[in-house]
Amino acid sequence: MRPARNADQQVVAGAEATPTSQSARRALVGRIVVDVVLPLVAYYALRALGAGVLAATLAAGAVPAANAALVAARSRRIDVAGLVVVSLFLAGGALSVVTGDARLLYVKDGWLTGLLGAWVLLSLTMKRPFMLHLGTAIATAKVGDAGAAAWQQRWTDDPVFRRRLRLVSVVVGVVLMLDAVVRVAIASVIDLDAVATVTNVQYVVMLAGLLSWFFWYTARHGLRA
C-alpha cells in the first residue's frame, strides 16, 4: 500500500501535472493539424483547382511526410516513427504512380497502424514490452535517468504493475490493428473523393477514444511515467 501524501505534496504533484497535461494536449492538437487538417485542406483545394485525384492525394500525403522529415532534420537524430512515415509514403506514392491507383496511398496508412499494433502485441512475448520502453523514454524526458530507473524498478518489483502495463499494451495493440482493418476497408470501397474525409474523421475518433481511455486508465492505476 502506498503511503498517503500530505496536502503540500498533492499541491506540488498537481502543479507538476498541469504543464505536462498542457504539453500533451498541445502535441495532440499539433499532430491532428499536421496529419488531418492540412492534408484535407491541400486535397480539396487542389481538387477545386482541377487537379486529378492521384495528384491531389500525393500532395496531401506529402504534408505529414514532409513534417516527419523536417522534425528529424531539426533534431539531428534518426526518428524511427518519422522514418517509417516517410518510407511508407514514398513506397505508396511510387506504387500509386505506377498503377495509377490513388487508393494505395490511403491503404498504406492502414499498413502503418497495423504494423505498429502488431509490434506492440508481439512485444508482449518479450522480456520487456513496448509500453515499458515507451514509459522509460517518457520518464527520462520528464525527470531524467533517476525517473527512468524508478519506472524500470517498478516493472521488476511489482507484479500488479506488470499486469496492468501488459493490459495497456493489449488494448493499444488491438485498437491499432482494428484501425488498420477499418482504414483498408474504407480505402477499398468508398468513393475515392470521400476517402480523404472519411479516413481522417475515423482517425480522429479512434485516436480520441484510445487516448481518453489511455489517460484515464494510466492515471487511475498509477501508470504515469
Side-chain angles (χ1 to χ4, degrees):
M1 181 180 296
R2 294 182 178 179
R5 295 185 297 181
N6 60 38
D8 291 339
Q9 289 174 316
Q10 291 175 350
V11 169
V12 171
E16 291 175 346
T18 300
T20 302
S21 300
Q22 291 175 344
S23 177
R25 284 195 292 268
R26 285 196 297 268
L28 177 59
V29 171
R31 180 71 183 271
I32 290 174
V33 169
V34 172
D35 289 354
V36 178
V37 178
L38 292 180
L40 278 177
V41 170
Y43 178 84
Y44 288 111
L46 288 170
R47 288 290 285 154
L49 292 172
V53 172
L54 179 55
T57 302
L58 285 168
V63 174
N67 178 69
L70 181 60
V71 169
R74 283 179 174 175
S75 62
R76 296 184 179 180
R77 61 183 176 83
I78 296 176
D79 178 9
V80 176
L83 182 62
V84 170
V85 169
V86 174
S87 299
L88 284 175
F89 172 75
L90 292 175
L95 283 172
S96 297
V97 170
V98 170
T99 63
D101 187 358
R103 292 184 187 275
L104 289 175
L105 275 173
Y106 294 105
V107 169
K108 61 90 180 167
D109 291 332
W111 298 345
L112 177 61
T113 54
L115 286 172
L116 179 57
W119 168 243
V120 172
L121 293 176
L122 179 63
S123 72
L124 289 169
T125 65
M126 303 175 184
K127 186 177 181 180
R128 295 177 179 273
F130 172 83
M131 283 298 165
L132 179 65
H133 292 293
L134 179 62
T136 301
I138 293 172
T140 302
K142 288 171 63 176
V143 290
D145 293 338
W151 177 261
Q152 295 271 0
Q153 197 62 41
R154 290 183 67 189
W155 174 264
T156 302
D157 298 340
D158 189 347
V160 175
F161 175 80
R162 291 196 297 270
R163 184 175 70 250
R164 287 172 174 167
L165 202 60
R166 286 192 179 104
L167 174 61
V168 172
S169 296
V170 170
V171 172
V172 171
V174 169
V175 169
L176 289 176
M177 293 197 73
L178 288 175
D179 173 73
V181 172
V182 172
R183 281 172 179 260
V184 172
I186 290 172
S188 300
V189 301
I190 291 182
D191 180 72
L192 196 52
D193 257 338
V195 170
T197 300
V198 176
T199 54
N200 280 291
V201 169
Q202 177 266 332
Y203 169 75
V204 171
V205 171
M206 180 279 298
L207 189 63
L210 179 60
L211 290 180
S212 295
W213 177 86
F214 178 87
F215 289 131
W216 168 80
Y217 187 84
T218 54
R220 180 180 178 85
H221 297 290
L223 299 178
R224 298 288 180 87

